[in-house]
Amino acid sequence: MEAVRIRRGLLEYLLELARDFYPNEFAGFLREKDGVFEEVLIAPNPHFGRSSAFFDTWMLPYDESIKGTVHSHPGPNPRPSGADLNFFSKFGGVHIIIAYPFVEDSVRAYRSDGSVLRIEVVD
């Protein structure tokens, strides 16, 4: 199974963001450098609610290093919803979902078509 590589510090920060925004979702865009996700970018003027997250992608800077998205699920289900799959198909790349209780074992990665990717955490 193909793997997504993410820096440990970024993963820990994303878990912290998910806990801080709970019971609301949060969402962001992932920057990749040399095949490893290194940073998260939160779009300006987001709306993070209990069952969805909205942001204006037109507000994002042109940035070729953005290769994926991340968002949290306030419930324990890490699988993508129909709305998630619709968004994945429009944005492309890798999509990470962090489900409650927001620990490393509740993080999943998906391709745009919803197929599962393995996550490799690097130091």
Side-chain angles (χ1 to χ4, degrees):
M1 178 186 300
E2 187 181 345
V4 172
R5 300 177 75 215
I6 185 169
R7 185 83 47 214
R8 178 165 303 284
L10 175 59
L11 179 58
E12 290 170 358
Y13 179 62
L14 294 173
L15 292 169
E16 184 179 316
L17 280 175
R19 287 184 212 109
D20 288 348
F21 277 96
Y22 181 81
N24 294 329
E25 290 190 11
F26 91 94
F29 295 87
L30 297 170
R31 286 183 168 146
E32 183 183 77
K33 182 178 179 188
D34 299 325
V36 178
F37 285 114
E38 299 269 354
E39 295 180 322
V40 63
L41 175 67
I42 306 297
N45 199 27
H47 167 77
F48 299 143
R50 289 181 184 251
S51 61
S52 62
F54 298 99
F55 39 81
D56 186 352
T57 56
W58 291 102
M59 300 286 288
L60 287 172
Y62 176 74
D63 186 340
E64 291 185 4
S65 70
I66 295 175
K67 303 291 185 188
T69 68
V70 60
H71 75 278
S72 63
H73 280 183
N77 184 351
R79 292 187 301 270
S81 67
D84 292 337
L85 291 171
N86 184 43
F87 175 73
F88 292 178
S89 72
K90 289 177 174 37
F91 192 74
V94 171
H95 307 279
I96 293 177
I97 296 177
I98 304 170
Y100 182 85
F102 316 122
V103 295
E104 198 168 322
D105 286 343
S106 64
V107 179
R108 300 290 185 277
Y110 301 92
R111 289 184 185 91
S112 293
D113 65 3
S115 58
V116 177
L117 294 164
R118 186 172 56 84
I119 298 173
E120 180 184 338
V121 181
V122 297
D123 290 318

